[in-house]
Amino acid sequence: MPTGRRRRRSALEAEQTEAAGPASTPTAVESGRGGGEAAGHGGVAASASRRGGRRGRSGTGLPGEEHSGRTSRKQAEQPADPETRARDICLRLLTGAAKTRKQLADALRKREIPEEAADAVLTRLEEVGLIDDAAFAAAWVESRHAVRGLSRRALAQELRTKGVAADLVEQAVAQLDHDDETDAARALVERKLRSTRGLDAQVRTRRLVGMLARRGYSEGLAFRVVRSALEEEWSEPSGRE
């Protein structure tokens, strides 16, 4: 596993542990049972506790017990404070895949998290490395260029829509140079070339150029790559009819 991804997973696990809070302590009945049983009176204490519980349910318990129970349940059902809710939402989203700060901010806004609480949580996640727009952009460019053959222009547009800052977008797409783009465009054309055989030359050219344009390649580069691919095809003996 790459070091950056391992570090991000460790930070995510640490935040999830902190969000879970300390383990619950034993109840008074459980503590009394442990001590009482050691002294030989555990059965009596447990029996008294069960009788008291039945009296409470039948309405013959101590005054205020029923009201106290309702209050406790009501408090348990109340939503957590905004920052806790925001952190829980972010950690769930980050468990699936890396996200930009804007993507997480949009998710918190949709869930009506107050802006002040959202900003505090997002800043905390940036500090521990769970939000890293620069790393996100670099990984996005590498993956999308390798898998889909997207050009620098298309990749930059995708990153902008995800809220990555302009300077980080520029740094990320700088990983690719002109030769990288030309090689990727040529590979795309070679994969598509066979399916266009038998069509008119102009139709083939138009379709292949359009395919590259949809992936963000400039018209000039697209025409050069397509023309070169067609010329190579016709220069081969199998390409002549």
Side-chain angles (χ1 to χ4, degrees):
M1 181 183 296
T3 302
R5 188 175 300 173
R6 187 182 300 112
R7 187 182 302 114
R8 178 178 169 274
R9 174 173 295 181
S10 297
L12 179 57
E13 291 173 348
E15 283 295 314
Q16 289 173 329
T17 300
E18 182 179 342
S24 59
T25 58
T27 63
V29 172
E30 291 171 339
S31 299
R33 186 189 308 126
E37 288 174 349
H41 302 291
V44 176
S47 176
S49 176
R50 285 194 293 272
R51 287 198 299 273
R54 284 196 294 271
R55 284 199 299 272
R57 287 193 294 272
S58 63
T60 59
L62 295 174
E65 278 187 348
E66 186 176 350
H67 175 72
S68 177
R70 285 200 301 267
T71 302
S72 298
R73 286 195 297 273
K74 185 175 180 181
Q75 290 175 345
E77 292 170 357
Q78 289 178 346
D81 66 273
E83 288 196 16
T84 299
R85 290 178 55 212
R87 182 167 61 177
D88 289 344
I89 292 168
C90 290
L91 293 179
R92 284 198 301 271
L93 293 173
L94 289 168
T95 298
K99 299 286 189 297
T100 65
R101 177 166 179 143
K102 180 180 183 300
Q103 287 177 304
L104 293 173
D106 290 344
L108 296 179
R109 192 176 301 111
K110 288 180 181 178
R111 290 163 174 80
E112 300 181 349
I113 300 295
E115 185 175 350
E116 183 177 351
D119 285 341
V121 170
L122 294 174
T123 299
R124 162 65 178 165
L125 295 180
E126 281 184 328
E127 291 172 351
V128 300
L130 287 177
I131 300 177
D132 188 338
D133 283 2
F136 176 94
W140 184 270
V141 167
E142 182 179 358
S143 173
R144 298 282 284 177
H145 178 72
V147 175
R148 295 204 58 204
L150 298 182
S151 69
R152 287 178 293 182
R153 182 169 61 181
L155 292 166
Q157 178 59 33
E158 287 185 343
L159 291 173
R160 283 193 290 268
T161 62
K162 295 182 181 300
V164 179
D167 59 329
L168 299 181
V169 171
E170 185 177 349
Q171 292 175 18
V173 298
Q175 299 177 77
L176 308 176
D177 58 22
H178 179 74
D179 291 339
D180 293 326
E181 283 199 309
T182 302
D183 291 343
R186 186 177 292 115
L188 289 170
V189 170
E190 289 175 354
R191 289 202 297 266
K192 188 74 173 177
L193 201 60
R194 185 182 297 275
S195 66
T196 65
R197 284 180 179 171
L199 298 176
D200 179 78
Q202 290 185 347
V203 174
R204 296 182 77 187
T205 299
R206 186 167 60 250
R207 289 190 179 182
L208 294 169
V209 169
M211 179 268 295
L212 292 179
R214 287 191 293 275
R215 285 168 170 77
Y217 291 94
S218 67
E219 184 176 298
L221 175 60
F223 270 108
R224 286 196 303 273
V225 170
V226 170
R227 185 163 48 246
S228 175
L230 291 175
E231 289 174 354
E232 288 179 7
E233 181 187 69
W234 280 98
S235 67
E236 298 174 357
S238 60
R240 294 194 180 91
E241 299 181 2

